[in-house]
């Protein structure tokens, strides 16, 4: 039964023939969206035609998600209009967008885990009926299955399904509400290669009915393989829309990444490559990590970090950055491989050993990992030093001195806080971030592991933070910088490494690395730079 | 003008106090109405209860004797709750503590202090033993402690019944009177109340003024944050649960050696379960255990006074149950704030 609907057809390019003058299904007309300090979308014009699979690519923060959130009614544009069937629309809520036939499948599925597939699909549907029988839901589902070639067992509980199946449920839910345009936000990030193929075969069937698919992605290969049209966004602006047949990976990668980085990097003084004369501070040898589901999240990493360098790790989020940062701070134990700190092997990694060795850690999820959201500021500021004089000792802890020390820290760090007794989760994200980095400063004597440190900060604070990284480098302290912003990585780093699918694609000097090389590594293509030249 | 309700993450103390006073008033009114229905004059009954409880030696002694075990079981539940553990098993730990100390008391050939100390250690050991299985099950198999601790209460009850009719049988369904006694302070009030107060003060001090107390707060606040600075939550879980069991066991020992002097099936008298009520009333502060234990002790003592008036003492069960329910509602309501927003007035 389950294989009954397994798509056997191959993925086919669009067969819907458009005549000249056929109107687009959707027209974005000068859409702009402003956030404080940031222009997320700047006068974007985009046409989506019936029967096409339209890929939207761009770096993190290029404005892809914002644009799609505007289309699906989550955000309202500050300028411009969305024109559907010749009429301008302003979607005040996702419900309005759905009623016009726009369905969105989010990267993180919004399903009720304890409900069955059928219940999830018809949950929240606008209907005049008070009751809806299981039988009827199933009948209506069968029609959908036949029409689009999707199949999921209607009686299965969501939490028992794989990620691919859950995604199919999300898509079916959009289809059951008569979606004409399906928006998929990074649909392939959770799927296996086989599931990816199935997904696009089904999508190609969907668009044969004259519907359109928009998908957001980072992966150039999928764009080239499955889309008909591709639009590139960069820094909130549309760079261009191209027919996929005429594109190459190189071409798209160049369009995605900005070209003016050299002007920035020349103004900053890079270190004089002194670091390589010293022995590495931390050395990973063939380190692999498996998560609780026995999936390998880091594969055979070999990495040296030298004192006095800034090593930037680039790559799309979720390709092993979290695991690598946790290995280097002792929070995760490697499943195989060895870790050396100053040439001595660490046989039993433990966060305390790494903290004692002077490794500071600004983790990705600051509120959950680095802070205690329901405790006050002094508790949070003393997490690293509560056992040290004058606040504490090997036995005692003085709340009064802790408060005084926290007060001093706040004064010195120039973080604006009105009420010392307020809970951490009542502070803004930027303030939380500043508190964590200031606290980690105190224990950082050899290496700072900073994971997405500029997230949630305004421009002024980012500059401050970057200056701080340079100051650390002058003191012969290493910085391991994880970032999703290539500009940031290339501006700050002495060496750049790229993670893709848990593999370290390579590490190169930042001066020597080319954009093409970087973008290919990020896309998962491992080509020896010497050979390609 | 717009009005809406928002939920505060911390309930302001003033709100909590107000709501609680409101709850106590409701409960008092209910009691008075019930008594009225039975044909008592409400005011004279209230006067009688208050004058007997606080105006006579017997009344005060009764309250203080109830406070002793309530403080300890309350502390046991409160301590476990610091790591979000619900120790429903204070009752069972109490019983095992009393059983072990009775056994030591009956078989101890030394005299005086040494025997009392041994009985105390045996009581603590009994409580620890009784929470050890739920603790290990929680740490190694992830078994929810709410159920396991609760189930073990019933087993403990039957073990006591078996012991007082079998190996430790004395007169009718109770053990023989044990030869050791705790020194008396005032009338029937024994030194146990000082021990209980000492435990509460020590816990209050340790949890605020030691490194260990800080680490405990970190573990309770966030497992991830604890891991981040290199603390093992399971280690603290283990220690905390054992101490919690030990405190309940100690309460059982004090009850046997100090007050009842023999083991009998109903010895725990719900004092373990009431520990949960006491700890919830105390709102996560060890020092507040003292007023909350006093309140519950007063209610328990009232039931005895009511019995002398031929009123059913089931009323106290209803009162404590109702109290817990209404306090839980009141504490939640105290988080909500009613806000009015006035539109900005245009300058003229």
């Amino acid at each position: 039964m389950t294989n009954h609907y397994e798509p056997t057809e191959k993925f086919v390019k669009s067969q819907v023939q458009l005549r000249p003058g056929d109107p687009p299904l959707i027209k974005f007309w000068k859409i702009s969206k402003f956030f404080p300090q940031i222009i997320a979308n700047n006068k974007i014009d985009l046409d989506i035609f019936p029967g096409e699979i339209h890929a939207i690519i761009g770096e993190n923060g290029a404005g892809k998600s914002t644009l799609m959130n505007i289309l699906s009614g989550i955000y309202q544009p500050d300028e411009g209009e969305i024109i559907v069937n010749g009429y301008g629309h302003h979607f005040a809520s996702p419900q309005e967008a759905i009623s016009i036939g726009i369905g969105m499948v989010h990267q993180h599925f919004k399903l009720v885990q304890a409900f069955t597939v059928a219940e999830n699909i018809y949950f929240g549907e606008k209907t005049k009926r008070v009751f809806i029988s299981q039988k009827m839901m199933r009948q209506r589902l069968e029609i959908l299955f036949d029409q689009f070639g999707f199949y999921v067992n209607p009686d299965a509980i969501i939490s028992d399904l794989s990620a691919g199946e859950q995604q199919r449920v999300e898509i079916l839910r959009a289809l059951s509400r008569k979606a004409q345009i399906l928006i998929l936000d990074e649909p392939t990030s959770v799927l296996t290669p086989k599931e990816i193929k199935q997904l696009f075969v089904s999508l190609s069937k969907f668009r044969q009915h004259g519907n359109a698919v928009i998908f957001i992605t980072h992966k150039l290969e999928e764009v080239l393989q499955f889309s008909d049209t591709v639009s590139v966004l960069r820094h909130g602006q549309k760079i261009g829309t191209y027919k996929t047949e005429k594109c190459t990976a190189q071409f798209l990668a160049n369009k995605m990444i900005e070209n003016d980085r050299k002007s920035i990097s020349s103004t900053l003084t890079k270190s004089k490559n002194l670091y390589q004369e010293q022995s590495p501070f931390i050395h990973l040898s063939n380190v692999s990590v498996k998560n609780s589901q026995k999936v390998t999240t880091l594969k055979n990493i070999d990495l040296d970090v030298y004192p006095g360098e800034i090593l930037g790790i680039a790559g799309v989020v979720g390709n092993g950055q979290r695991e690598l940062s946790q290995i280097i701070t002792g929070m995760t134990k490697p499943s195989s491989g060895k870790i050396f700190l100053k040439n001595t092997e660490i046989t039993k990694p433990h966060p305390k050993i790494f903290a004692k060795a002077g490794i500071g850690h600004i983790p990705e999820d600051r509120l959950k990992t680095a802070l205690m959201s329901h405790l006050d500021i002094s508790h949070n500021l003393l997490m690293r030093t509560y056992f040290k004089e004058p606040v504490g000792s090997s036995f005692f802890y003085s709340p009064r001195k802790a408060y005084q020390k926290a007060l001093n820290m706040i004064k010195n760090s120039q973080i604006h806080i009105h009420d010392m007794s307020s809970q951490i989760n009542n502070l803004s994200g930027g303030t939380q971030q500043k508190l964590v980095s200031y606290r980690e400063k105190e224990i950082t004597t050899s290496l700072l592991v900073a994971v997405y440190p500029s997230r949630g900060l305004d421009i002024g604070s980012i500059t401050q933070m970057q200056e701080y990284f340079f100051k650390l480098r002058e003191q012969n302290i290493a910085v391991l910088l994880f970032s999703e912003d290539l500009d940031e990585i290339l501006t700050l780093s002495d060496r750049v490494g790229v993670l893709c699918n848990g593999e370290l694609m390579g590490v190169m000097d930042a001066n020597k690395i080319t954009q093409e090389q970087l973008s290919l590594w990020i896309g998962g293509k491992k080509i020896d730079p010497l050979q390609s030249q | 003008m717009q009005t809406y309700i928002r939920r505060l993450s911390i309930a302001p103390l003033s709100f909590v106090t107000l709501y609680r006073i409101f709850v106590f008033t409701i409960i008092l009114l209910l009691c008075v109405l019930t008594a009225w229905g039975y044909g008592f004059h409400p005011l004279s009954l209230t006067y009688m209860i208050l004058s007997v409880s606080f105006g006579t030696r017997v009344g005060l002694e009764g309250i203080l004797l109830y406070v002793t075990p309530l403080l300890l079981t309350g502390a046991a539940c409160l301590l476990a709750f610091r790591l979000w553990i619900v120790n429903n098993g204070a009752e069972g730990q109490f019983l095992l503590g009393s059983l072990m100390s009775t056994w030591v008391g009956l078989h101890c050939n030394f005299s005086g202090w040494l025997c009392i100390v041994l009985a105390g250690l045996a009581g603590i050991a009994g409580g620890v033993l009784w929470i050890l299985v739920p603790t290990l099950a929680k740490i190694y198999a992830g078994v929810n402690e709410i159920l396991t601790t609760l189930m073990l209460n019933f087993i403990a009850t039957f073990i006591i019944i078996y012991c007082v009719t079998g190996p430790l049988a004395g007169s009718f369904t109770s053990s023989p009177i044990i030869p050791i006694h705790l020194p008396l302070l005032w009338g029937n009030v024994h030194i146990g109340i000082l021990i209980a107060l000492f435990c509460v003060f020590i816990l209050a001090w340790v949890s605020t003024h030691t490194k260990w107390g800080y680490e405990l707060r970190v573990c309770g606040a966030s497992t991830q944050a604890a891991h981040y600075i290199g603390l093992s939550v399971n280690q603290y879980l283990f220690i905390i649960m054992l101490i919690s069991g030990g405190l309940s066991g100690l309460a059982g020992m004090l009850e046997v050696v100090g007050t009842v002097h023999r083991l009998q099936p109903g010895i725990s008298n719900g004092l373990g379960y009431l520990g949960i009520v006491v700890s919830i009333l105390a709102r996560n502060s060890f020092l507040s255990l003292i007023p909350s234990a006093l309140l519950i002790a007063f209610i328990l003592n009232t039931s005895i006074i009511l019995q002398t008036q031929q009123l059913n003492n089931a009323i106290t069960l209803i009162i404590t149950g109702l109290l817990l329910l209404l306090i839980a509602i009141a504490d939640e309501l105290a988080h909500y704030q009613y806000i009015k927003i006035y539109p900005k007035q245009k300058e003229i």
Side-chain angles (χ1 to χ4, degrees):
Chain A
M1 183 78 182
T2 42
N3 289 330
H4 176 100
Y5 284 97
E6 192 97 335
T8 46
E9 315 112 271
K10 281 191 175 171
F11 178 80
V12 279
K13 291 275 173 185
S14 179
Q15 288 167 356
V16 174
Q17 292 296 319
L18 286 175
R19 283 163 304 176
D22 268 358
L25 212 51
I26 285 193
K27 189 176 177 62
F28 290 83
W29 185 70
K30 291 195 173 154
I31 293 285
S32 297
K33 179 74 188 171
F34 311 112
F35 291 117
Q37 306 259 17
I38 293 164
I39 300 170
N41 289 148
N42 193 1
K43 293 195 174 138
I44 290 183
D45 286 315
L46 191 63
D47 295 341
I48 311 286
F49 287 97
E52 73 175 358
I53 294 184
H54 197 122
I56 294 182
I57 58 170
E59 285 183 74
N60 284 299
K64 307 176 300 256
S65 294
T66 312
L67 190 65
M68 289 306 112
N69 282 335
I70 287 172
L71 180 55
S72 61
I74 294 171
Y75 292 150
Q76 282 70 47
D78 294 326
E79 266 177 27
E81 266 187 338
I82 293 170
I83 296 165
V84 184
N85 290 333
Y87 292 98
H89 283 277
H90 262 278
F91 302 128
S93 70
Q95 276 76 26
E96 284 183 28
I98 288 168
S99 69
I100 295 222
I102 294 164
M104 176 131 181
V105 176
H106 293 269
Q107 197 177 357
H108 304 286
F109 306 135
K110 295 180 176 0
L111 297 169
V112 184
Q113 292 287 318
F115 281 14
T116 66
V117 169
E119 283 164 347
N120 260 291
I121 287 172
Y122 291 106
F123 180 65
E125 195 193 34
K126 272 190 184 157
T127 167
K128 281 177 186 164
R129 292 169 182 279
V130 182
F131 299 106
I132 177 164
S133 74
Q134 292 283 340
K135 197 178 151 196
M136 200 162 122
M137 285 199 281
R138 217 166 296 145
Q139 276 172 355
R140 287 167 63 178
L141 268 181
E142 294 289 334
I143 297 169
L144 273 182
F145 292 157
D146 279 339
Q147 213 174 347
F148 298 107
F150 281 94
Y151 183 78
V152 194
N153 177 10
D155 300 321
I157 305 286
I158 294 295
S159 53
D160 297 339
L161 298 180
S162 72
E165 288 172 307
Q166 292 192 20
Q167 189 178 51
R168 243 175 283 165
V169 178
E170 280 269 11
I171 294 174
L172 279 168
R173 183 161 67 179
L175 295 182
S176 79
R177 290 169 195 180
K178 307 210 167 53
Q180 282 184 298
I181 298 139
L182 208 52
I183 309 165
L184 304 168
D185 191 356
E186 300 196 24
T188 56
S189 57
V190 290
L191 303 185
T192 62
K194 197 183 159 202
E195 285 176 323
I196 292 175
K197 200 141 198 208
Q198 280 180 8
L199 170 71
F200 280 102
V201 169
S202 310
L203 289 179
S204 74
K205 211 166 181 184
F206 168 72
R207 59 125 183 241
Q208 299 305 348
H209 297 266
N211 304 321
V213 177
I214 306 173
F215 78 102
I216 301 175
T217 187
H218 297 283
K219 296 177 189 166
L220 297 179
E221 251 171 80
E222 284 160 16
V223 174
L224 295 172
Q225 214 176 334
F226 298 120
S227 70
D228 304 312
T229 322
V230 50
S231 293
V232 184
L233 298 188
R234 188 208 296 155
H235 290 232
Q237 277 172 323
K238 195 178 93 167
I239 300 302
T241 300
Y242 314 96
K243 286 272 170 217
T244 312
E245 305 143 31
K246 293 175 187 163
C247 295
T248 61
Q250 207 85 323
F251 172 76
L252 288 176
N254 268 337
K255 290 281 171 198
M256 266 167 75
I257 297 167
E258 212 165 356
N259 216 352
D260 58 354
R261 70 174 173 93
K262 274 166 200 152
S263 58
I264 309 166
S265 53
S266 60
T267 59
L268 291 159
T269 47
K270 294 251 170 174
S271 76
K272 292 141 204 156
N273 292 349
L274 277 174
Y275 54 87
Q276 275 153 354
E277 291 162 19
Q278 309 178 31
S279 61
F281 170 69
I282 191 165
H283 169 61
L284 302 185
S285 157
N286 212 13
V287 168
S288 296
V289 174
K290 281 182 183 163
N291 68 6
S292 52
Q293 279 109 42
K294 306 265 176 195
V295 178
T296 311
T297 44
L298 271 190
K299 269 177 244 160
N300 309 330
I301 301 278
D302 284 302
L303 185 68
D304 289 320
V305 184
Y306 295 93
E309 72 161 338
I310 298 178
L311 174 57
I313 302 286
V316 176
V317 180
N319 273 298
Q321 287 92 331
R322 183 190 168 82
E323 287 76 12
L324 184 60
S325 71
Q326 293 200 337
I327 280 283
I328 287 177
T329 49
M331 288 179 71
T332 307
K333 292 186 178 73
S335 54
S336 66
K338 287 174 182 172
I339 305 169
F340 296 90
L341 267 183
K342 288 179 191 159
N343 295 327
T344 45
E345 191 184 340
I346 305 292
T347 46
K348 283 181 186 164
H350 190 274
K352 270 187 185 164
I353 300 174
F354 288 75
K356 227 177 199 173
I359 299 183
H361 183 196
I362 305 176
E364 179 186 8
D365 187 350
R366 291 176 257 284
L367 187 57
K368 276 190 187 151
T369 311
L371 294 168
M372 299 170 288
S373 53
H374 291 287
L375 293 185
D376 61 14
I377 290 163
S378 63
H379 272 99
N380 277 287
L381 274 178
L382 285 157
M383 274 172 84
R384 292 292 197 183
T385 47
Y386 67 91
F387 48 84
K388 284 182 189 160
E389 292 288 345
V391 175
S393 66
S394 56
F395 183 76
F396 294 104
Y397 169 84
S398 159
R400 196 170 49 85
K401 283 177 184 159
Y403 177 79
Q404 276 167 359
K405 183 168 181 197
L407 208 61
N408 275 336
M409 283 169 85
I410 294 287
K411 264 184 204 158
N412 293 336
S413 65
Q414 295 171 334
I415 302 170
H416 298 290
I417 282 169
H418 306 293
D419 182 9
M420 283 293 286
S421 63
S422 65
Q423 283 183 13
I424 284 290
N425 58 354
N426 292 340
L427 303 174
S428 75
T431 313
Q432 291 170 1
Q433 151 77 351
K434 283 183 206 165
L435 286 175
V436 173
S437 29
Y438 194 78
R439 184 187 70 203
E440 295 306 304
K441 263 183 206 183
E442 272 201 299
I443 65 156
T444 304
T445 54
S446 50
L447 168 67
L448 179 70
V449 179
V451 191
Y452 310 128
S454 51
R455 256 194 205 168
L457 289 188
D458 53 56
I459 294 160
S461 318
I462 291 177
T463 321
Q464 253 178 30
M465 188 197 64
Q466 294 178 344
E467 278 165 7
Y468 166 58
F469 287 164
F470 287 129
K471 224 179 269 170
L472 286 181
R473 185 170 64 185
E474 275 166 31
Q475 294 160 17
N476 211 24
I477 292 170
V479 178
L480 187 63
L481 169 71
F482 291 83
S483 178
E484 45 196 354
D485 183 356
L486 275 183
D487 283 345
E488 185 178 66
I489 290 230
L490 290 169
T491 315
L492 297 176
S493 316
D494 301 310
R495 290 194 301 154
V496 179
V498 175
L499 275 175
C500 183
N501 269 331
E503 272 183 273
L504 193 61
M505 305 304 288
V507 181
M508 266 187 105
D509 272 7
N511 306 331
K512 291 176 191 160
I513 199 159
T514 58
Q515 281 174 42
E516 287 79 14
Q517 182 63 55
L518 258 183
S519 53
L520 286 174
W521 271 352
I522 291 173
K525 279 189 180 160
K526 211 172 190 172
I527 301 170
D528 191 43
L530 296 175
Q531 268 180 8
S532 64
Q533 273 170 7
Chain B
M1 186 185 75
Q2 273 187 319
T3 56
Y4 64 98
I5 293 172
R6 75 167 175 188
R7 189 183 192 281
L8 305 166
S9 52
I10 300 182
L13 196 64
S14 54
F15 280 28
V16 174
T17 324
L18 268 174
Y19 275 107
R20 286 193 167 189
I21 289 173
F22 183 61
V23 163
F24 292 138
T25 325
I26 289 180
I27 289 177
L28 243 155
L29 278 175
L30 277 174
C31 295
V32 168
L33 280 176
T34 319
W36 199 23
Y38 274 104
F40 288 91
H41 192 280
L43 278 182
S44 66
L45 186 68
T46 314
Y47 174 75
M48 200 267 293
I49 289 171
L50 290 179
S51 59
V52 173
S53 298
F54 299 111
T56 65
R57 198 183 165 104
V58 183
L60 282 174
E61 278 178 11
I63 288 179
L64 290 178
L65 283 178
Y66 276 126
V67 162
T68 311
L70 283 174
L71 277 177
L72 286 169
T73 52
C77 296
L78 187 61
L79 186 63
F81 202 64
R82 284 281 165 97
L83 286 186
W84 306 102
I85 297 164
V86 180
N87 179 7
N88 267 329
E91 187 88 357
Q93 293 138 24
F94 183 102
L95 287 174
L96 251 278
S98 59
L99 172 66
M100 297 270 281
S101 52
T102 309
W103 187 83
V104 169
L106 289 173
H107 293 83
C108 194
N109 291 325
F110 327 110
S111 58
W113 278 103
L114 187 60
C115 208
I116 291 175
V117 170
L118 276 179
L121 290 176
I124 293 170
V128 168
L129 193 74
W130 215 236
I131 205 172
L132 192 63
V133 175
T135 308
L136 294 178
K138 180 169 180 72
I139 291 174
Y140 290 105
V143 181
N144 193 333
E145 80 288 347
I146 297 179
L147 277 178
T148 46
T149 50
L150 183 68
M151 297 299 192
L152 281 171
N153 289 346
F154 303 109
I155 300 176
T157 311
F158 287 113
I159 289 178
I160 299 289
I161 293 174
Y162 165 73
C163 284
V164 296
T165 52
L168 291 180
S171 57
F172 185 65
T173 62
S174 80
S175 72
I177 291 179
I178 52 173
I180 50 173
H181 297 272
L182 284 177
L184 294 177
L185 285 178
W186 181 67
N188 276 328
V189 180
H190 53 82
I191 198 166
I193 184 141
L194 295 184
I195 297 174
L197 282 172
F198 178 73
C199 285
V200 168
F201 282 119
I202 279 286
L203 281 171
W205 182 79
V206 164
S207 69
T208 49
H209 284 81
T210 64
K211 176 189 151 199
W212 192 78
Y214 178 87
E215 288 170 351
L216 191 62
R217 262 169 287 158
V218 174
C219 291
S222 157
T223 315
Q224 277 168 298
H227 180 57
Y228 169 72
I229 59 169
L231 302 175
S232 155
V233 175
N234 278 347
Q235 211 174 322
Y236 287 85
L237 209 77
F238 185 75
I239 298 169
I240 286 297
M241 283 182 82
L242 292 199
I243 294 177
S244 172
L247 285 169
S248 307
L250 182 63
M253 173 266 174
L254 293 179
E255 190 71 3
V256 164
V257 180
T259 315
V260 188
H261 301 303
R262 62 182 168 198
L263 189 64
Q264 56 196 33
I267 188 163
S268 60
N269 198 14
L271 290 168
Y273 293 117
L274 287 170
I276 300 169
V277 184
V278 171
S279 70
I280 287 173
L281 283 175
R283 276 185 72 84
N284 220 0
S285 146
F286 281 105
L287 292 180
S288 316
L289 281 173
I290 298 167
S292 357
L294 277 170
L295 177 71
I296 299 293
F298 166 68
I299 294 174
L300 287 175
N301 204 37
T302 307
S303 86
I304 294 177
I305 300 168
L306 289 180
Q307 273 173 353
T308 62
Q309 303 295 311
Q310 273 85 46
L311 264 172
N312 194 336
N313 73 332
I315 186 89
T316 50
L317 279 179
I318 298 170
I319 292 177
T320 44
L322 206 61
L323 187 70
L324 188 61
L325 178 71
L326 291 181
I327 288 284
I329 295 171
D331 282 4
E332 179 56 30
L333 283 178
H335 283 279
Y336 291 90
Q337 199 179 25
Y338 194 63
I339 299 176
K340 288 178 185 173
I341 291 181
Y342 297 95
K344 279 180 193 165
Q345 296 212 331
K346 282 180 187 169
E347 287 175 35
I348 305 161

